[in-house]
Amino acid sequence: MSLPLPPASNLHAVLLVTKSRSLGPRLVFHYPPLSPSAAALAANQATTWFGNQTSTGSIDSHSSSSDWDSGTENEGGEDDIETGSRTSGGRGSGRTGASHRDREKYRPGGAGAWGRQENMEDDDTELDDNGLDNRSKEENGDRKNKGGDYDWNTVLGFKVDALEKMLCPSHAFNKRRFELGVESIAFVGAPMFVRDDGFWKKKRRKKKGKATNLDLLEKLKIEEKEQIDTSDVKRSGSIAMEPFDYPQGFEPGYGHGLMSGAASGAASEAGSDTRSTSTTDNVDAPDMTMFNVVFVLNPPALEYQLRVQEMYDNVTRKFAKALKYEQARSQYIWKESKNIIDIKQRAKDNNESVSATWRKIINASPLAKSIAIMFDAISNDKIAHVHFDATFSTSFQIPQQDSIPYLPNALEPQMPGLWLTTSNVVIDDNNDAPMTQHAALLLLEDAETLVKELEGDAKGNATALAYYIRAIVPTKSLQKISVTHNILAQDMEYIARHLVYWRRARLIAPLHPRDTYIVSPNADMSALQIAIPSYATRFPTLPSLPKVLSMLSGTPRQFRYFIPTNEHREAYMEILAWLMRGGWVTQLRTFAWVHVSPEIKATVAQEMEHEALLKKAEDARREVSDNESLAGSLFSDKRSSFLSGGRPPTPLRRTGRRDIDDENMDASTILSPRTGPWRGSPARPSSDAGSTSSNRAMMPLSSTARPASPALSQTTSGLQQSKLHRPSPLHLKTTSPSRPPPPPSQKFSPTSPSVAPVPPSPPLPPQNFTASLVFAPQKANAVESRWLEKIGQSFEDQETRELWPVLLRHLDGKHALEDMGVREGLKRKRVAALFAAVREGGWLVVVRHW
Amino acid sequence: MPTRSIKSIFFTRFHHRQGSRVLHQVPEGSITNSTAPAALDTPLFDFESVTQYLIPKQDFCDRLLTFCTNHHRVIGYPVCVREGKYYRNEFIFNFAVVVGEDMGDWVSYAEVVRKLGRLLRGLEEQGGFLSREEGGSLEDDGGGQGGGGLGLGMLNGNKAGSKVYALCEMVLEDLNNYAECMIPIDDSNTINLKLFPTHPPPPPIHPHHVPLLTISLSSLTSPISSDLTLTRILPFINGIHSVSHIAQLADTDVSLTRKAIQHLVYYGCLVLLDIFTFGAVYAPTAEMGWFVTDSSVQEECARYVAVPQLRFGREGGGSASTNMVGGGGGGESSEKKSRDERSSVSSEASQRSDISSTTNATLNLTTPTSSGLNDPTDSFSASSSSSARPKVDPETLITLYVSLRQGLTLKNWVLENLSLLHGIDIRRFITFGIIKGILYRVHKYAIATSTFTSPATRSPATNAASTIPPSIHRDSDQSTIRGHANARHLSHKASLASTVNIFATHESTSEVPFHGENDKPSGGLPLVKFLDGMHCFDEICTELGMGEQVVEKKVKGAGEVQIVHR
């Protein structure tokens, strides 16, 4: 299992590259405007990425670092660079004696460069990468030492023209993952090519647009639709949305009204004229043939695959698809690109600074703005809400875990503050109904904050959504909420999933005063100093946060014991919700397995042996009766009694049995699969035969003796029997050593009718058995289910006996007993009583953890 | 290291007339179509569509350049040698390796490629290792034919004599088979390559961590490191001493000790535990389910926690069987040892953890099954005294583990379960749980809720804490360490033998007196910085060199403080 890692996108830049017939490959836009050079990024990572370089070759690493440094000093051979930016091919004429080193000049110094470059804009005039400086100096003759802010020709330390060529892959990469690694820097993109017919989307028959009846969930769906469409996973029913491929000019105006309030002002005009031109543009041979949004990452070596994959699946690909949709609809990218290129060119001609120009571009172009938003959010592991234009907006994120099932040890990556629980672990049982309906939704922000956020986002349906959100309480399951507030269960679940996906809420087991909560071992203690005041403002009159945590620190107790009075109940539950939200506490859940005692095993083994013998006897009898019919009358009496003996034998019958028990001792122990180390080989073959036959014999019995059936008399008799058996080991101990073990092979041979009068089997000494656990009662084998059944029969309480099979389903160590009530529709108290009763009997091994 | 993960190695170079050309490829046909007899039918990917990444613009030369295509990851290191002797004064080549796209640790291959690229550049610059070879064939041939196909044909013919082709072949085979290779090039040059797995960066080591070796470093013949700190501290790493204690015992600097231990962690020879005391609280984690259901772990645990002395005493008191056991002991002990070494991290580590006792013990330690097998007469005694449990019952182990819980100190837990603890080394029992992740230590934190919170009062306090203590710190450290050593030793031995009467002795007695004198001048001040809830009691005790009870008393005296267990 790979270790779960804390979220870290390692995103350092976003680039937009286009390839057009008129301009060729073009790096249209990059964000942030002043990015650290790739070399600096790589160097910044030295500890993790090149952790083994010291061992692979220290000389190499030395020489490289000296290159790194000397390169920054290098002033020679600059001539070709100015020309290089335009005439990409004919370079290198002046460069004869220079070593490879001068090509490294754009690499600034070591790890320190990263920090300094970030502040470049402010005061860093003495840049470490003189190469950049020189170039800009030469190009903008009058400007000296202004550094990267006037450097129009490098991005990430690479010359723009080289970079844009590299990022324009061949058509083979269409819609594929584009992944280019330069040292430890990964360029991840999803290149989109225009179709051969000049369109960006396959022409499809016009689909009947869904009438824009403002369904209550419309707002959500709009955010979600990108998800759904791009991932090509159509969700069922109400969630499924129209794909993006409306024919040009026939957009059903979907969402126009919804989004108008939110879109940026600059976008509206651009949006309107693109719409008018889109139909005409598209028909002509398109100028732009490809675009590629490239995300620049520097993940640590060991996380490389994971981070790149995450970025590509969740952000890069989806973003590219959304852009392609926009491009298909309105030539969005190309228009915006031309606009951006224009602004850049003008600024460059006027020698304006990069950062100022970038501000201008971002204000003028919604595309640039969306890239900037994207970068800012994703690089901080947040959710990016991107407005492409007035009519279309969507959100992107790299999903994060909201809980972990186990506590990282000192050697593993720490994720303090993450909710520690196993309740989200999917148990791969097919018969497990999803718990969503039984779970409660814990909002991670206050309902009002959330509502306000929504109102800012959308108009029409916000009130309805607000109604939903205000209805959500962490103490009630979704099912209950939907019943009390008369909300459709699917709607409720949909909202829940949506809120969970967008990190607004978590699904938890409903908070309840009768549940037990402990201070989470994964609580983020470093957040405590901030949390204390915010807690204090929230709950000014109640015990302080340290006090509450201290209260929950001791021996685990049900939460209700901490609530002083009934009036405090609500407030304390709110505190609990607050604590849950911050990952301060976690629920202590109870898991259990059935513990099978040797006595039970002995009893069952004995019964099974008896049945086996019975069956043999019957076989033998049948054989005998076939051969000599007169013997039939002799056996008929016995036979009837044995048939009734299929059930647990009554105490009366038992008495007669004891005198003959010696002979059967061996055979019966063989039947048990878990006897101690065996003491003799001759029994092996017969044991196999015995167990299979016993299985067959068992089937009819289990159907009659199933506790669910109202065979009360039978079960009580079983109970009595097992009680009577308890003292038997004492009795047997004395007898067993004295008896001579007869060869079992003879005894079972069906050919000798002398065996036919089957002696009732003796109680077996539990010493021959060791106690064991049943790990999965649902998948118990034949013997195990016999044990379980036997245990069930031993309960004196009628109700316990009835509920035992129900309880059994949860005794696999994977299902928390706390969940049992809602799953089975039982009252909490009843479950508790049942559990206590069974536990009292010593039938359970119980462990409590999160 | 996954075996045979290199799919292909190829050497490509830019030809001024023919463009990017694949000169050598192993196996044949893996990059471009080949007519060689054993060639692959179809190339691994389309070479033409990726040439720009193999022979890139000069900006991208002399650095690792990787790309993914057709589910393969191509790791290249394009090199551009600029010298007047070449046509257009440059010679661009790339010696690239193809691995699977989703290979986890491709970085180790990248390092090999980088090294190889640099070496080849050196060889080329020295004596034209690469260009000389094709000088005769390719240049002339290229000039004459102009087409790539025939040039390749020529090369195929040449292949037998090509050193570069041989290099490709050897690197591929050796790295795939042995993960390393040594290829002599000429009199003065040898290529040495090795795949080094990438390790995650080690976590920070705190003074209150307790390191425990997972491999027996003492059994290595050569010294593992020339690091003096490391060699000094190694004997003291035993799963009982904390890092600061080790530093004291080995007389090394604490920060250097931490560094050295960090190195051991980096190479995976060490796990970190917590300080074992009977006042500590442990509780099961969600992994407990795994322990309960997996009988092999239970067996491992039983082996690990069993008290060897107990057997020894029993056998000594027993009848003639002692001799037999002693006789068979030699062979069995070695068997036992080897099994231990194989069995698991923890049991190996356990051997080290108490060398003195185990070396004695292993000689006498026999498992009844093996003794039963070895001499038949012994089976009598084994069966008759079946109550003498050789191994701890798995059921008991489970019962004991699940009975640990939050809010229950080890001391009280022992008292509750005294009858079950017969023959179980409690410290090892807990350690096993921690190592396997089925237990976690419930740490104790103190949070000051009043008096010290205002920054004005805090700053002098922290100053004082940083300036005054060193002398005190040192003194008390010294003495505490002695005290600690005593206490630990006591408690450890006690946990082996009788479990009852040690509780009174642990720590407190030996430490109270000197704190009384030492702490008067500083008062409660050094404590303050620990009361923000980010420092567990282990840490506070280690830093201050005081026992837990003393610290707790002082903490409670320091104002309104809440104790939180986490």
Side-chain angles (χ1 to χ4, degrees), chain B residues 475-543:
Chain B
D475 291 358
S476 62
D477 250 4
Q478 291 284 6
S479 42
T480 332
I481 288 312
R482 250 171 274 130
H484 266 281
N486 265 333
R488 299 269 178 273
H489 191 58
L490 257 180
S491 61
H492 179 55
K493 245 171 63 186
S495 78
L496 288 171
S498 70
T499 45
V500 202
N501 54 357
I502 33 129
F503 305 114
T505 63
H506 97 272
E507 295 198 3
S508 57
T509 47
S510 57
E511 282 157 21
V512 172
F514 57 79
H515 282 310
E517 40 197 84
N518 266 340
D519 292 328
K520 259 167 203 156
S522 63
L525 287 183
L527 265 179
V528 177
K529 62 174 177 175
F530 296 118
L531 300 186
D532 58 358
M534 286 161 68
H535 305 274
C536 64
F537 264 60
D538 273 7
E539 187 180 346
I540 303 174
C541 294
T542 325
E543 290 288 327

Side-chain angles (χ1 to χ4, degrees), chain B residues 124 133 168 175 258 262 269 347 365 386 391 480 507:
Chain B
E124 175 62 27
E133 196 169 82
C168 290
L175 286 187
R258 287 163 64 180
Q262 212 165 16
C269 347
S347 42
L365 185 87
S386 63
K391 261 202 269 178
T480 332
E507 295 198 3

Side-chain angles (χ1 to χ4, degrees), chain A residues 48-53 55-56 60 64 88 91 95-96 98 100 103 106-107 158-159 161-163 165-166 168-170 172-173 177-183 301-302 304-305 405-407 410-411 422 518-523 525-526 528-529 532 544 546-547 549-550 553-556 588 593 595 771 773 775 845-850, chain B residues 49-50 52-53 56-69 73 77 80 82-84 89 101-108 111 114-115 118 121 125 194 196-201 203 209 265-266 270-272 284-289 292-293 395 398 402 405-407 440 445 447 449 531-534 562-566:
Chain A
T48 50
W49 176 269
F50 299 114
N52 54 3
Q53 205 182 35
S55 45
T56 44
D60 284 353
S64 101
S88 50
R91 164 146 47 110
R95 220 180 246 249
T96 48
H100 66 287
R103 252 166 292 109
Y106 49 80
R107 295 181 170 188
F158 297 107
K159 283 206 289 300
D161 63 322
L163 192 63
K165 283 229 172 60
M166 285 299 265
C168 282
S170 66
F173 284 91
R177 179 159 100 183
F178 169 79
E179 187 188 325
L180 177 69
V182 181
E183 293 291 330
L302 287 170
Y304 183 92
Q305 300 279 13
Y406 65 88
L407 187 66
L411 299 178
T422 54
I518 55 165
V519 179
S520 165
N522 205 36
M525 295 308 262
S526 60
L528 192 67
Q529 295 304 327
I532 289 175
S544 69
K547 181 117 186 142
L549 289 179
S550 164
S553 290
T555 310
L588 199 61
W593 295 267
H595 176 256
L773 301 183
F775 299 133
V845 168
V846 180
V847 61
R848 304 191 83 189
H849 57 72
W850 45 83
Chain B
S49 66
V50 295
Q52 59 169 328
Y53 305 119
K57 300 193 60 134
Q58 288 168 11
D59 279 65
F60 291 90
C61 282
D62 296 295
R63 64 197 61 208
L64 272 177
L65 212 57
T66 60
F67 59 91
C68 294
T69 176
R73 185 181 296 275
Y77 189 84
C80 175
R82 329 188 112 262
E83 261 179 70
N89 303 318
E101 179 180 329
D102 46 6
M103 174 192 247
D105 189 15
W106 60 269
V107 178
S108 52
E111 292 307 319
R114 180 206 304 280
K115 185 175 182 187
R118 287 186 176 151
R121 160 191 279 281
E125 281 172 346
K194 185 170 165 62
F196 288 94
T198 317
H199 296 292
H209 279 150
V265 172
Y266 179 77
L270 201 82
V271 291
L272 294 177
T285 72
E287 307 281 338
M288 189 56 87
V292 170
T293 48
E395 202 195 342
I398 292 171
V402 299
R405 63 173 183 269
Q406 289 86 357
Y440 77 98
Y445 297 81
I447 305 166
T449 50
L531 300 186
D532 58 358
M534 286 161 68
Q562 297 291 341
I563 306 288
V564 172
H565 293 259
R566 184 188 79 136

Side-chain angles (χ1 to χ4, degrees), chain B residues 306-356:
Chain B
V307 178
Q309 276 86 350
L310 187 77
R311 285 268 325 153
F312 181 61
R314 213 166 259 283
E315 277 159 10
S319 58
S321 67
T322 322
N323 279 334
M324 284 175 221
V325 172
E332 273 157 19
S333 71
S334 64
E335 179 199 326
K336 165 79 181 165
K337 247 183 198 157
S338 66
R339 188 186 333 140
D340 262 4
E341 265 151 34
R342 259 181 289 120
S343 65
S344 80
V345 158
S346 52
S347 42
E348 281 162 37
S350 75
Q351 284 203 324
R352 286 199 48 79
S353 72
D354 39 13
I355 296 170
S356 55

